[in-house]
């Protein structure tokens, strides 16, 4: 299984971006997550989508601004990011699990088995 993240770029405060995570193979059977890592900081949870049920889970600072979704036909997961802030600047990574876990576990990066390369999001003031 390989994951390919894309869609990052430079945007002004208040702008929007949509990140994509395309999978080769059956990667999106249990859970997919987005994480981000700012310079000299830890990799932090952003959002997750878990099956069955399609439950979503967001880090508090992105609730109401970011939306995680899936396009089954394209085997792709998206992260729509609106009203971007300077503090959203980071390298964003998508990841997928190979087994079912409880929803709360989806925020733990150690639970993920597959990772895409990062895509850089820069929000300028």
């Amino acid at each position: 299984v390989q994951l390919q993240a894309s869609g990052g770029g430079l945007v002004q405060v208040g702008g929007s971006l949509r990140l994509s995570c395309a999978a080769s193979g059956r990667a999106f059977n249990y859970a997919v997550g987005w994480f981000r890592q700012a310079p000299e900081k830890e990799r932090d949870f952003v959002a997750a989508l878990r099956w069955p049920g399609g439950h979503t889970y967001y880090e508090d600072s992105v609730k109401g601004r970011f939306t995680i979704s899936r396009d089954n036909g394209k085997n792709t997961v998206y992260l729509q990011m609106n009203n971007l802030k300077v503090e959203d600047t980071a390298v964003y990574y998508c990841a997928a699990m190979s087994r079912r876990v409880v929803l709360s576990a989806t925020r733990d990066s150690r639970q993920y088995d597959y990772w895409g390369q990062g895509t850089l999001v820069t929000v300028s003031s």
Side-chain angles (χ1 to χ4, degrees), residues 2-15:
Q2 291 186 327
L3 304 179
Q4 180 75 32
S6 62
L10 174 64
V11 64
Q12 291 188 326
V13 168

Side-chain angles (χ1 to χ4, degrees), residues 12-49:
Q12 291 188 326
V13 168
S16 298
L17 283 174
R18 188 178 76 162
L19 305 184
S20 299
C21 179
S24 63
R26 297 172 59 84
F28 302 145
N29 291 327
Y30 297 102
V32 62
W34 285 96
F35 292 79
R36 64 186 179 186
Q37 188 166 18
E40 301 182 358
K41 292 190 176 182
E42 300 284 322
R43 187 173 298 188
D44 293 328
F45 169 77
V46 176
L49 181 57

Side-chain angles (χ1 to χ4, degrees), residues 27-32 49-55 96-106 111-113:
F28 302 145
N29 291 327
Y30 297 102
V32 62
L49 181 57
R50 191 198 69 156
W51 302 276
H55 302 288
M97 292 187 185
S98 63
R99 66 204 180 286
R100 184 182 294 187
V101 298
V102 297
L103 185 58
S104 60
T106 59
Q111 300 290 339
Y112 288 83
D113 303 292

